Amino acid sequence: MLAARASAARAASRIARNFATVVDTAGVKVAAADNGEATSAVTVIVKAGSRFETKPGVAHALKNYAFKSTDKRSTLGAVREAELYGGVLSSSLSREHIAVTAEFLRGDEAFFVDVLSSYLTSTKFTRYELSEWVAPTCEAETTAAFSNPATRAVELAHNIAFRNGLGNSIFATPGHHLTAEDVKAYADSVFGAGNVAFVGTGIDHAALEKLLEKSLGKFASSAVPSSAPSKYFGGESRLDAHGGPQTVFIGFGAVGAPSAELAVLAAHLDPTPSVKWSQSTSPIASSVPAGSSVQVVHLPYSDASLFGLLVQGQSPADVREAGKAAVAALKAAGGLKGEELQKAIAKAKFTAASSLDGRDGIVSTLGPKILSGSSASLSDTISSLEKVDASAFEKATSSLLKAKPTYVAVGDITSLPYADELGL
């Protein structure tokens, strides 16, 4: 068992070392790791998330312009060629980044890297594609997301916690008027050298560099998009909704670089059991009524973090009981020490390491670090967690709880509890 654990540690360290070397090629940062996968994937990450947008919803629209008409191929041409190669194309948006990904069989990297490069260099941003494809897709994604009370609660919590910047929604609100010219202007401001990174898995680093030199050529430079430093405000809001579980979000914000102590706090409170069909030893697990759930939400960003507990139940009474238990556990967490603290640290380390097991985790975890030019090493993350002691943990937890809470209720607002009724 110890040998297997040591082998796993060496494997994680090897991945971290491969990604720690970031090279500037054609004006963009490039990092790749080839661990013998049967398939390859390349993701282009752009610092163009909703916190930087110049008009509400423009980042969402830019994300959905991926794989549309370029100078090299039409929308239909890109789709048909990708299907002929057996590849998969996708795009995603966060508050700080747009990520556009191509997954494909080994040997087909030249075509797919060219597709990704074309998105950056020659997307046409046609009006008919905005009206026929991009805008309807944005509206469908927004409608689907907001039909989920948990998503609505977390989105509203960001707005209450940070107002602007990180408070901007990643979803375009139906009814907001965006033109193709708006989207193109935003693209021109964010698609540029120093603001883009390519991350590859299952592909040789040198091969990816060579392909980018050919497809990107001399990539134009652009100013790094600016956003005011994040400030935390907090507050309370209630949203009447029907058709889903009763939901409350109990959160707090912290300004500054992501904190190892908050990652440990999230691991300590997380009620997910380590053994299937068993009950977790989390201080929350035993106090949550049957049919209710408490989910830890820990969302670190470049200059702030949102930490909270998402409570859901079939009735407002269940949510009230589970919410009280969650708040009590959060307040008592500051006194964590000894074996309990070490257990939480170990769980946080496992969460950090396991995030690199899949491509999505690699891109979301290491991609922003590669783009910013900071170390993309797992060992640095593990080291920061190992340095957490009882004093630092208590200080971080106390500081978090001193701030004004961010509280959101979604559902039957006439019966759902208010923040002060849960002990906040």
Side-chain angles (χ1 to χ4, degrees):
M1 180 179 291
L2 290 176
R5 181 176 285 184
S7 176
R10 286 195 297 271
S13 178
R14 184 163 59 249
I15 292 174
R17 284 198 301 271
N18 286 347
F19 272 106
T21 302
V22 181
V23 177
D24 283 306
T25 301
V28 301
K29 291 181 171 59
V30 182
D34 188 355
N35 296 296
E37 296 94 337
T39 61
S40 304
V42 176
T43 297
V44 55
I45 299 174
V46 187
K47 189 176 180 181
S50 59
R51 75 173 295 178
F52 305 110
E53 62 187 8
T54 52
K55 195 171 183 179
V58 72
H60 193 185
L62 179 58
K63 186 269 292 188
N64 283 327
Y65 256 111
F67 317 121
K68 299 301 183 286
S69 297
T70 66
D71 290 344
K72 290 189 175 183
R73 54 185 65 86
S74 66
T75 301
L76 182 59
V79 172
R80 283 184 170 177
E81 286 188 81
E83 290 180 343
L84 285 172
Y85 281 106
V88 177
L89 305 175
S90 61
S91 60
S92 63
L93 172 68
S94 70
R95 283 179 156 73
E96 296 192 304
H97 304 99
I98 290 176
V100 181
T101 300
E103 299 173 82
F104 47 88
L105 294 169
R106 280 180 177 270
D108 296 336
E109 53 270 12
F111 168 75
F112 288 97
V113 169
D114 188 62
V115 168
L116 295 176
S117 299
S118 296
Y119 170 62
L120 297 174
T121 59
S122 63
T123 296
K124 292 184 176 180
F125 298 105
T126 61
R127 295 178 183 178
Y128 80 89
E129 285 179 319
L130 176 66
S131 61
E132 294 182 10
W133 287 323
V134 174
T137 300
C138 288
E139 184 171 350
E141 290 176 339
T142 300
T143 301
F146 284 0
S147 67
N148 184 338
T151 302
R152 297 190 77 175
V154 173
E155 282 294 301
L156 185 53
H158 276 86
N159 182 255
I160 294 170
F162 302 111
R163 297 184 183 176
N164 300 313
L166 290 176
N168 296 345
S169 176
I170 60 176
F171 298 102
T173 304
H176 273 290
H177 181 63
L178 280 175
T179 66
E181 289 73 21
D182 292 331
V183 186
K184 185 179 186 304
Y186 185 57
D188 290 341
S189 70
V190 296
F191 287 172
N195 201 43
V196 174
F198 280 79
V199 181
T201 58
I203 184 171
D204 179 70
H205 196 296
L208 180 56
E209 284 186 72
K210 187 175 181 180
L211 289 170
L212 288 174
E213 288 175 352
K214 180 180 179 181
S215 61
L216 281 178
K218 186 174 177 60
F219 196 40
S221 61
S222 69
V224 176
S226 60
S227 174
S230 294
K231 294 181 180 179
Y232 176 70
F233 298 93
E236 184 170 351
S237 183
R238 304 171 72 79
L239 185 64
D240 191 33
H242 307 279
Q246 302 298 311
T247 303
V248 300
F249 176 84
I250 306 160
F252 296 87
V255 177
S259 163
E261 288 77 15
L262 289 187
V264 174
L265 178 61
H268 168 62
L269 295 175
D270 185 8
T272 305
S274 297
V275 180
K276 192 175 182 179
W277 306 119
S278 68
Q279 181 170 292
S280 168
T281 58
S282 161
I284 295 175
S286 61
S287 304
V288 176
S292 301
S293 66
V294 178
Q295 178 184 346
V296 177
V297 178
H298 177 216
L299 299 172
Y301 298 102
S302 60
D303 64 348
S305 297
L306 182 64
F307 184 94
L309 300 165
L310 186 71
V311 184
Q312 293 188 294
Q314 294 304 310
S315 70
D318 288 343
V319 170
R320 183 186 301 271
E321 184 179 346
K324 286 181 178 180
V327 170
L330 180 58
K331 287 186 172 182
L336 199 65
K337 59 184 64 175
E339 185 178 277
E340 288 299 308
L341 178 59
Q342 292 307 310
K343 182 177 71 173
I345 291 173
K347 191 173 181 180
K349 287 163 62 177
F350 175 81
T351 299
S354 62
S355 68
L356 300 181
D357 284 346
R359 281 174 172 153
D360 289 344
I362 288 174
V363 170
S364 61
T365 302
L366 299 184
K369 295 182 179 180
I370 292 168
L371 180 57
S372 66
S374 60
S375 173
S377 172
L378 172 63
S379 59
D380 289 346
T381 301
I382 298 298
S383 177
S384 67
L385 290 169
E386 290 176 339
K387 292 177 182 177
V388 174
D389 56 25
S391 175
F393 182 79
E394 181 179 9
K395 182 178 179 181
T397 304
S398 175
S399 177
L400 183 76
L401 296 177
K402 285 179 181 178
K404 184 179 182 180
T406 292
Y407 184 83
V408 178
V410 179
D412 181 4
I413 57 175
T414 61
S415 302
L416 282 170
Y418 286 84
D420 60 323
E421 295 175 334
L422 298 182
L424 291 172

